[in-house]
Amino acid sequence: MNNSYHHGDLKNALIRAGIEILSKDGVQALTLRQVAKKAGVSHAAPYAHFADKQALIAAIAAEGYRQLYEKLAAAQESRVDALARLMAVAQAYAQFAIDEPDHFKITFSGVVEAEKDYPDYVEQSKRCFALVMVVVTDCQSGGILEPGDPELATVSVWASIHGFVQLMLANQIPGALLAQYSMPELLSFHLNPFLRTNTQP
Amino acid sequence: MNNSYHHGDLKNALIRAGIEILSKDGVQALTLRQVAKKAGVSHAAPYAHFADKQALIAAIAAEGYRQLYEKLAAAQESRVDALARLMAVAQAYAQFAIDEPDHFKITFSGVVEAEKDYPDYVEQSKRCFALVMVVVTDCQSGGILEPGDPELATVSVWASIHGFVQLMLANQIPGALLAQYSMPELLSFHLNPFLRTNTQP
DNA sequence: ACCTGAACACCGTTCAAGT
DNA sequence: ACCTGAACACCGTTCAAGT
């Protein structure tokens, strides 16, 4: 099944190889030639499936969003009330970033640089946003979050979680805080100002 | 003043050249060889001042933090009450990211990757954090922000602004919102949940 | 349609040598 | 101490050629 021609799905094999390199050796090791090598093809083979390196990165970023969506969906499925779902989503978001920092970073590195558009990436991005928006509007309905423009509220909550995670990956959160509190505690404190029932430390 | 030896400050000239490349051509154009060329020296000359490319990037990131600090300091100096200072800082933070997206991104790209430490970068980072913390604690004293652990509160506010800016640079904020509201409006809505006097849209 | 191998311009890094 | 020029291994991309 793999003589001169590949198993028929080189495109996805390249994406998987890229993600594995990201996970094991980091973003500086993500080269087209290494990806091709890991997939068992010549260094020029990827060009049959991707226009250039940026296109492969866009595909890897879209897959990052897809995996993130799965984690968020799984995290909230097990909870019933809206607040627990919001916290579970926040925790799953942070956990994905901690588990796969380089894949997470590349997903939010701004691949969609104005001119070129990558439809799959955009679709996955919107799908993820929609999931968070459902949780946020449920919280608004339940009186847990302030009422108001749901899109605006979603951006606020999402950006808040995202910023915390980004700063953490960039080693910009004071070590004293990380030593003193657990991740769920930190996220809880962090989202507390948004809640209508405050119990700030 | 520039025969065989350089003007005596090649190190800073390289940093400035790097920032200029970042500003004009973006992060993918930031190569040691181009930086050297722009500074008017051979491609091996930078190694007399930086151990490797990562060390130059760390210096550029530290300078990014320094410039960010200046913008934030200037923004709040002109305001008297604490809330106006908080908003001015948030606005200046976003403006720096919009004006110099690639320099901003590289400043928060996680140069301090565990093992190696870059003292100047760490110092500038802490200096910036301290500035935000003063504004935040002043807001707490004035009853504008909820009371509580000042370091925790600073992280919350900072992460919230940072996340919004990062998502904007990654084109992840819905275009409808960007079209409908101005940047100060968006930042105001975004920080509203933290304030004790809410006027959510 | 899908892949290979050679080729080209470019990059990070090292090192002997020059002042 | 500070810089140059040649050298090496590697990278992204292109292209003629093979099945």
Side-chain angles (χ1 to χ4, degrees):
Chain A
M1 61 148 100
N2 53 2
N3 246 342
S4 61
Y5 275 19
H6 204 269
H7 41 62
D9 197 14
L10 179 55
K11 184 168 183 174
N12 281 304
L14 291 167
I15 295 171
R16 280 198 305 275
I19 291 171
E20 203 180 326
I21 289 172
L22 234 29
S23 177
K24 293 207 303 187
D25 304 303
V27 70
Q28 86 290 344
L30 185 72
T31 71
L32 270 182
R33 291 174 104 108
Q34 284 301 316
V35 168
K37 193 176 191 179
K38 175 153 273 178
V41 290
S42 80
H43 62 261
Y47 287 90
H49 301 275
F50 299 100
D52 49 24
K53 190 184 179 183
Q54 211 199 353
L56 172 63
I57 289 178
I60 289 174
E63 178 60 23
Y65 251 129
R66 219 180 308 259
Q67 291 182 12
L68 182 57
Y69 178 89
E70 294 304 328
K71 301 281 186 184
L72 302 188
Q76 62 150 328
E77 261 171 20
S78 53
R79 315 297 162 118
V80 281
D81 68 302
L83 178 56
R85 262 160 57 219
L86 178 63
M87 289 305 174
V89 163
Q91 175 62 24
Y93 196 95
Q95 197 60 50
F96 181 74
I98 290 166
D99 289 343
E100 300 294 341
D102 288 81
H103 196 185
F104 179 83
K105 279 187 199 170
I106 225 170
T107 301
F108 292 98
S109 65
V111 244
V112 194
E113 300 263 350
E115 53 222 303
K116 293 185 186 178
D117 57 343
Y118 299 98
D120 188 33
Y121 176 80
V122 172
E123 190 188 328
Q124 296 309 318
S125 159
K126 286 182 175 162
R127 189 156 154 265
C128 221
F129 187 89
L131 182 148
V132 178
M133 191 151 100
V134 168
V135 178
V136 166
T137 50
D138 280 1
C139 284
Q140 288 180 315
S141 307
I144 290 153
L145 289 175
E146 296 285 338
D149 183 329
E151 219 173 19
L152 221 40
T154 303
V155 165
S156 279
V157 169
W158 182 28
S160 209
I161 299 167
H162 185 76
F164 183 84
V165 167
Q166 280 279 167
L167 289 178
M168 198 177 54
L169 293 185
N171 287 110
Q172 298 303 291
I173 305 286
L177 289 181
L178 296 174
Q180 196 176 352
Y181 302 107
S182 72
M183 186 56 47
E185 276 178 323
L186 284 171
L187 285 171
S188 168
F189 297 157
H190 189 54
L191 290 180
N192 226 342
F194 292 93
L195 309 182
R196 299 186 93 175
T197 54
N198 271 11
T199 47
Q200 201 93 336
Chain B
M1 61 145 99
N2 53 1
N3 247 343
S4 60
Y5 274 19
H6 206 268
H7 40 62
D9 198 14
L10 178 55
K11 184 167 184 175
N12 280 305
L14 290 168
I15 295 171
R16 280 198 303 275
I19 291 171
E20 203 180 327
I21 289 172
L22 236 27
S23 177
K24 293 209 302 191
D25 304 302
V27 69
Q28 88 289 347
L30 184 72
T31 71
L32 269 182
R33 291 173 103 108
Q34 284 301 316
V35 167
K37 194 177 190 178
K38 176 153 272 180
V41 290
S42 81
H43 63 261
Y47 287 90
H49 301 275
F50 298 101
D52 49 25
K53 189 183 180 184
Q54 209 199 354
L56 173 64
I57 290 177
I60 289 174
E63 178 61 23
Y65 250 129
R66 219 182 307 261
Q67 290 182 14
L68 182 57
Y69 179 90
E70 294 304 328
K71 302 280 187 188
L72 301 189
Q76 62 150 328
E77 260 170 21
S78 54
R79 314 299 164 117
V80 280
D81 69 301
L83 178 57
R85 262 158 59 218
L86 178 65
M87 288 306 175
V89 163
Q91 175 62 24
Y93 196 96
Q95 197 61 52
F96 181 74
I98 291 166
D99 290 342
E100 300 293 341
D102 288 80
H103 195 184
F104 178 83
K105 278 187 202 170
I106 226 171
T107 300
F108 292 98
S109 64
V111 242
V112 194
E113 301 263 349
E115 52 221 305
K116 293 184 186 179
D117 57 342
Y118 298 98
D120 189 34
Y121 176 81
V122 172
E123 189 188 328
Q124 297 308 318
S125 159
K126 286 183 175 163
R127 189 156 153 263
C128 221
F129 187 88
L131 184 148
V132 178
M133 191 152 99
V134 168
V135 178
V136 166
T137 50
D138 281 2
C139 283
Q140 288 181 315
S141 306
I144 291 151
L145 289 176
E146 294 286 337
D149 183 329
E151 220 173 20
L152 220 43
T154 303
V155 166
S156 277
V157 169
W158 182 27
S160 208
I161 300 167
H162 185 76
F164 182 83
V165 167
Q166 280 279 166
L167 289 177
M168 197 176 55
L169 293 185
N171 288 109
Q172 298 304 291
I173 305 286
L177 288 181
L178 295 175
Q180 196 176 352
Y181 301 107
S182 71
M183 186 56 47
E185 278 178 322
L186 285 171
L187 285 171
S188 167
F189 298 157
H190 188 55
L191 291 180
N192 226 341
F194 292 93
L195 308 183
R196 300 187 91 176
T197 55
N198 271 11
T199 48
Q200 200 94 336

Short mmCIF file of all heavy atoms in Angstrom, two decimals, chain B residues 46 55 71 119 131 171 182:
data_model
loop_
_atom_site.label_atom_id
_atom_site.label_comp_id
_atom_site.label_asym_id
_atom_site.label_seq_id
_atom_site.Cartn_x
_atom_site.Cartn_y
_atom_site.Cartn_z
N PRO B 46 27.57 40.51 14.08
CA PRO B 46 26.67 40.47 15.24
C PRO B 46 27.14 39.50 16.33
O PRO B 46 26.84 39.72 17.51
CB PRO B 46 25.33 40.01 14.65
CG PRO B 46 25.37 40.52 13.25
CD PRO B 46 26.81 40.39 12.82
N ALA B 55 19.43 35.71 21.26
CA ALA B 55 19.90 36.78 22.15
C ALA B 55 19.57 38.16 21.57
O ALA B 55 19.20 39.07 22.31
CB ALA B 55 21.40 36.64 22.37
N LYS B 71 5.23 54.59 26.58
CA LYS B 71 3.89 54.93 26.08
C LYS B 71 2.87 54.92 27.21
O LYS B 71 2.04 55.83 27.33
CB LYS B 71 3.45 53.93 25.00
CG LYS B 71 4.39 53.84 23.81
CD LYS B 71 4.17 54.97 22.83
CE LYS B 71 5.00 54.75 21.57
NZ LYS B 71 4.96 55.91 20.67
N PRO B 119 18.41 39.00 31.59
CA PRO B 119 18.13 39.89 32.73
C PRO B 119 17.44 41.19 32.35
O PRO B 119 16.50 41.61 33.04
CB PRO B 119 19.53 40.17 33.30
CG PRO B 119 20.40 39.09 32.79
CD PRO B 119 19.82 38.67 31.48
N LEU B 131 4.12 49.33 36.82
CA LEU B 131 3.36 50.53 36.41
C LEU B 131 1.87 50.24 36.38
O LEU B 131 1.07 51.01 36.91
CB LEU B 131 3.84 51.00 35.03
CG LEU B 131 3.23 52.29 34.48
CD1 LEU B 131 4.25 53.03 33.62
CD2 LEU B 131 1.97 52.02 33.66
N ASN B 171 -6.52 38.57 14.08
CA ASN B 171 -7.75 38.66 13.28
C ASN B 171 -8.87 37.78 13.82
O ASN B 171 -9.65 37.22 13.04
CB ASN B 171 -7.48 38.28 11.82
CG ASN B 171 -6.69 39.35 11.11
OD1 ASN B 171 -5.52 39.15 10.81
ND2 ASN B 171 -7.29 40.49 10.86
N SER B 182 -15.64 51.93 18.01
CA SER B 182 -14.26 52.44 17.96
C SER B 182 -13.41 51.67 18.97
O SER B 182 -13.93 50.97 19.85
CB SER B 182 -14.23 53.92 18.30
OG SER B 182 -14.51 54.10 19.68
#
